[in-house]
Amino acid sequence: MAQLGVNIDHVATVRQARRTFEPDPIWAAVEAQLGGADGVTFHLREDRRHINDRDAALLKETVHVKLNMEMAIDRRIVAIAGNLCPDQCTLVPERREELTTEGGLDVVRLRRRIAPVVENLRRRGIEISAFIEPIPDQVQAAADVGCHAVELWTGGYAHAKGEKAVCRALRQLSEALETGGRNGLLVHGGHGLTYDNIAPVAAMPFVEFNIGHSIISRAIFVGLRDAVRQMKALLLT
Ligand code: PXP
């Protein structure tokens, strides 16, 4: 059964809508853990639009399951990650104008910039994952630069319309999973996964899913602890 990392960025987004103290993403991390989350995921963006440095420091102190930091390969963010030492860093592309992370990091094109970042963070004992599109060349490049894991962008599957497109997207994920396995990588998945679309990917040999928007949306109505429990139950079946 795949592990569940709960992305709590959206809780901080609501807080930042009023630049106040609530809702506190640290409380969300506690509730996620009480609901059975295997990990807590956050993205410290260069523009600090949701999670900020105070949140990152407190998460490091209070999260007792796997702490996964999504981050750009920007020099200042890499320095923060190196000091914070989360259990895992997931390297993601970042554009200021995007609503959320759109698509994967181009490891093939950026391998010269990514390799030293991976080496630097690995030296501190941090597991390194790269968020990439489910393309064998990208998986291979992530292995070449020394990543422990890749997180396959599941947005292509989540946004696919019609049976043919869905099947094609699942086939791509399956091939990328195979390439990852052959290269000794742990393979994670994330983006756009919901209570309604998780089943086909939950049946694949993913090690970890990172899910944010759907869980936080359900939490508004049932509470975060239950929302996490419900998603965990879907990973079991
Ligand atoms: N994984 C990564 C690398 C992401 O950037 C995001 C979005 O922040 C997620 C997973 C979660 O995506 P969603 O909010 O669509 O579940």
Side-chain angles (χ1 to χ4, degrees):
M1 176 187 139
Q3 306 263 292
L4 175 62
V6 176
N7 183 312
I8 56 166
D9 295 346
H10 291 295
V11 176
T13 298
V14 175
R15 176 188 64 189
Q16 293 315 105
R18 289 293 175 91
R19 306 220 187 296
T20 176
F21 64 92
E22 62 183 1
D24 194 325
I26 312 306
W27 289 28
V30 172
E31 281 295 309
Q33 289 172 88
L34 289 170
D38 304 292
V40 170
T41 293
F42 69 98
H43 185 171
L44 186 70
R45 296 185 75 104
E46 292 172 62
D47 62 7
R48 308 296 197 274
R49 72 167 70 151
H50 38 55
I51 294 289
N52 58 34
D53 299 69
R54 167 265 186 197
D55 300 331
L58 282 175
L59 287 169
K60 170 68 184 177
E61 279 191 38
T62 54
V63 169
H64 303 298
V65 291
K66 179 175 181 177
L67 184 63
N68 175 34
M69 175 176 171
E70 294 175 3
M71 54 178 279
I73 53 170
D74 170 79
R75 179 176 49 80
R76 285 155 300 194
I77 298 288
V78 172
I80 292 170
N83 287 329
L84 193 71
C85 269
D87 299 298
Q88 176 172 280
C89 286
T90 301
L91 308 179
V92 302
E94 203 173 296
R95 285 192 303 122
R96 282 189 186 233
E97 61 274 22
E98 69 191 357
L99 279 178
T100 179
T101 311
E102 291 159 4
L105 188 65
D106 190 343
V107 185
V108 171
R109 191 171 62 81
L110 297 170
R111 69 170 80 210
R112 280 220 183 88
R113 280 185 59 203
I114 294 171
V117 172
V118 174
E119 197 196 332
N120 175 350
L121 296 174
R122 271 188 79 121
R123 250 190 282 121
R124 293 160 202 266
I126 303 169
E127 301 260 319
I128 312 298
S129 177
F131 184 53
I132 57 170
E133 291 187 26
I135 298 170
D137 283 355
Q138 294 290 348
V139 179
Q140 182 68 55
D144 292 346
V145 297
C147 289
H148 299 92
V150 286
E151 180 174 327
L152 301 180
W153 177 70
T154 47
Y157 158 67
H159 303 147
K161 297 263 178 297
E163 206 179 314
K164 254 191 174 162
V166 169
C167 284
R168 197 178 326 120
L170 286 171
R171 212 166 36 244
Q172 274 177 350
L173 288 170
S174 176
E175 281 166 19
L177 266 158
E178 224 177 273
T179 310
R182 250 188 285 116
N183 283 280
L185 293 166
L186 299 170
V187 184
H188 308 159
H191 192 87
L193 297 175
T194 70
Y195 296 86
D196 292 329
N197 69 17
I198 190 76
V201 285
M204 296 170 134
F206 282 100
V207 170
E208 172 184 311
F209 291 112
N210 287 296
I211 307 179
H213 189 262
S214 190
I215 292 177
I216 302 301
S217 301
R218 184 161 294 200
I220 292 172
F221 302 105
V222 306
L224 186 50
R225 215 179 288 187
D226 261 353
V228 171
R229 273 195 203 119
Q230 288 176 22
M231 188 59 84
K232 281 279 294 181
L234 293 176
L235 295 184
L236 259 178
T237 50

Coordinates of all heavy atoms in Angstrom, one line a residue, residues 7 9-10 41 43 50 70 90-92 100-101 131 151 189-193 210-214, ligand 1:
N7 N -0.4 17.3 1.6 CA 0.1 18.7 1.3 C -0.8 19.7 2.0 O -2.0 19.8 1.7 CB 0.1 18.9 -0.2 CG 0.8 20.2 -0.5 OD1 0.4 21.2 0.0 ND2 1.7 20.2 -1.5
D9 N -0.3 23.1 2.1 CA -0.1 24.5 1.6 C -1.4 25.3 1.5 O -1.5 26.5 1.8 CB 0.4 24.5 0.1 CG 1.8 23.9 0.0 OD1 2.5 23.7 1.1 OD2 2.3 23.6 -1.1
H10 N -2.5 24.6 1.2 CA -3.8 25.3 1.0 C -4.3 25.9 2.3 O -5.1 26.8 2.3 CB -4.8 24.4 0.3 CG -4.5 24.1 -1.1 ND1 -4.4 25.0 -2.1 CD2 -4.1 22.9 -1.7 CE1 -4.1 24.5 -3.2 NE2 -3.8 23.2 -3.0
T41 N 3.6 17.3 3.7 CA 4.3 17.9 2.6 C 4.0 19.4 2.6 O 2.8 19.8 2.8 CB 3.8 17.2 1.2 OG1 4.3 15.9 1.2 CG2 4.4 18.0 0.0
H43 N 5.3 23.3 0.5 CA 6.2 23.9 -0.5 C 6.5 25.3 0.0 O 5.7 26.1 0.1 CB 5.3 24.0 -1.8 CG 6.1 24.5 -3.0 ND1 5.5 24.4 -4.3 CD2 7.3 25.0 -3.1 CE1 6.4 24.9 -5.1 NE2 7.5 25.3 -4.5
H50 N 2.3 31.1 0.4 CA 1.4 30.4 1.4 C 2.3 30.0 2.6 O 2.3 30.7 3.7 CB 0.6 29.3 0.9 CG 1.3 28.4 -0.2 ND1 2.5 27.8 0.0 CD2 0.9 28.1 -1.5 CE1 2.9 27.2 -1.1 NE2 1.9 27.3 -2.0
E70 N 8.7 20.5 -0.7 CA 8.8 20.8 -2.1 C 9.6 22.1 -2.3 O 9.3 23.1 -1.6 CB 7.4 20.9 -2.7 CG 6.6 19.7 -2.7 CD 5.2 19.9 -3.2 OE1 4.9 21.0 -3.6 OE2 4.4 19.0 -3.1
T90 N 11.6 17.5 -2.4 CA 11.1 17.2 -3.7 C 11.4 18.4 -4.6 O 10.8 19.5 -4.3 CB 9.6 16.8 -3.7 OG1 9.5 15.7 -2.9 CG2 9.1 16.5 -5.1
L91 N 12.2 18.3 -5.6 CA 12.6 19.4 -6.4 C 11.5 19.6 -7.5 O 11.1 18.7 -8.2 CB 13.9 19.1 -7.1 CG 15.1 18.7 -6.2 CD1 16.4 18.4 -7.0 CD2 15.4 19.8 -5.1
V92 N 11.0 20.8 -7.5 CA 9.9 21.1 -8.4 C 10.2 22.4 -9.2 O 11.0 23.2 -8.8 CB 8.6 21.4 -7.6 CG1 8.2 20.2 -6.8 CG2 8.7 22.6 -6.7
T100 N -0.6 26.8 -9.3 CA 0.0 25.7 -8.5 C 1.2 25.1 -9.4 O 1.3 25.6 -10.5 CB -1.0 24.6 -8.1 OG1 -0.3 23.6 -7.4 CG2 -1.6 24.0 -9.3
T101 N 1.9 24.2 -8.9 CA 3.0 23.6 -9.7 C 2.4 23.0 -11.0 O 1.6 22.1 -10.9 CB 3.8 22.6 -8.9 OG1 4.1 23.2 -7.7 CG2 5.1 22.2 -9.6
F131 N 10.2 16.0 -9.1 CA 8.8 16.0 -9.6 C 8.9 16.1 -11.1 O 9.3 17.2 -11.6 CB 8.1 17.2 -9.0 CG 6.6 17.3 -9.3 CD1 5.8 16.2 -9.1 CD2 6.1 18.4 -9.8 CE1 4.4 16.3 -9.4 CE2 4.7 18.6 -10.1 CZ 3.9 17.5 -9.9
E151 N 8.9 11.9 -8.3 CA 7.4 12.0 -8.1 C 6.8 12.2 -9.5 O 7.1 13.2 -10.1 CB 7.1 13.1 -7.1 CG 5.5 13.2 -6.9 CD 5.1 14.2 -5.9 OE1 5.8 14.4 -4.9 OE2 4.0 14.8 -6.1
G189 N 3.8 9.6 -6.7 CA 2.9 10.3 -7.6 C 2.2 11.4 -6.9 O 2.0 11.5 -5.7
G190 N 1.8 12.4 -7.7 CA 1.1 13.5 -7.2 C 0.7 14.6 -8.2 O 1.2 14.7 -9.3
H191 N -0.4 15.3 -7.8 CA -1.0 16.4 -8.5 C -2.3 16.0 -9.1 O -2.4 15.0 -9.9 CB -0.1 17.0 -9.7 CG -0.7 18.3 -10.1 ND1 -0.4 19.5 -9.5 CD2 -1.7 18.6 -11.0 CE1 -1.1 20.4 -10.1 NE2 -1.9 19.9 -11.0
G192 N -3.4 16.7 -8.7 CA -4.7 16.5 -9.2 C -5.4 15.2 -8.8 O -6.4 14.8 -9.3
L193 N -4.8 14.5 -7.8 CA -5.5 13.3 -7.3 C -6.6 13.6 -6.4 O -6.5 14.5 -5.5 CB -4.4 12.3 -6.7 CG -3.3 11.9 -7.6 CD1 -2.2 11.1 -6.9 CD2 -3.9 11.1 -8.8
N210 N 1.4 12.2 -2.9 CA 1.3 13.5 -2.2 C 0.0 14.2 -2.7 O -0.1 14.5 -3.9 CB 2.6 14.4 -2.4 CG 3.7 13.8 -1.6 OD1 3.6 13.8 -0.4 ND2 4.7 13.3 -2.3
I211 N -0.9 14.4 -1.8 CA -2.2 15.0 -2.2 C -2.6 16.1 -1.3 O -2.4 16.1 -0.1 CB -3.3 13.8 -2.1 CG1 -2.8 12.6 -2.8 CG2 -4.6 14.4 -2.6 CD1 -3.8 11.4 -2.8
G212 N -3.0 17.2 -2.0 CA -3.3 18.4 -1.2 C -4.7 18.9 -1.4 O -5.6 18.7 -0.5
H213 N -5.0 19.4 -2.6 CA -6.3 20.2 -2.8 C -7.5 19.4 -2.4 O -8.4 19.9 -1.8 CB -6.3 20.7 -4.3 CG -7.4 21.6 -4.5 ND1 -8.6 21.2 -5.0 CD2 -7.6 23.0 -4.2 CE1 -9.5 22.3 -5.1 NE2 -8.8 23.3 -4.6
S214 N -7.6 18.2 -2.9 CA -8.8 17.4 -2.7 C -9.0 17.1 -1.2 O -10.2 17.2 -0.7 CB -8.7 16.1 -3.5 OG -9.9 15.4 -3.5
Ligands
PXP1 N1 3.1 17.0 -5.5 C1 3.7 18.2 -5.9 C2 5.1 18.1 -6.3 C3 3.0 19.4 -6.0 O1 3.6 20.5 -6.4 C4 1.6 19.4 -5.6 C5 0.9 20.7 -5.7 O2 1.4 21.6 -4.7 C6 1.1 18.2 -5.2 C7 1.8 17.0 -5.2 C8 -0.4 18.2 -4.7 O3 -1.2 18.5 -5.7 P1 -2.8 18.6 -5.4 O4 -2.9 19.8 -4.6 O5 -3.4 18.8 -6.8 O6 -3.2 17.4 -4.7

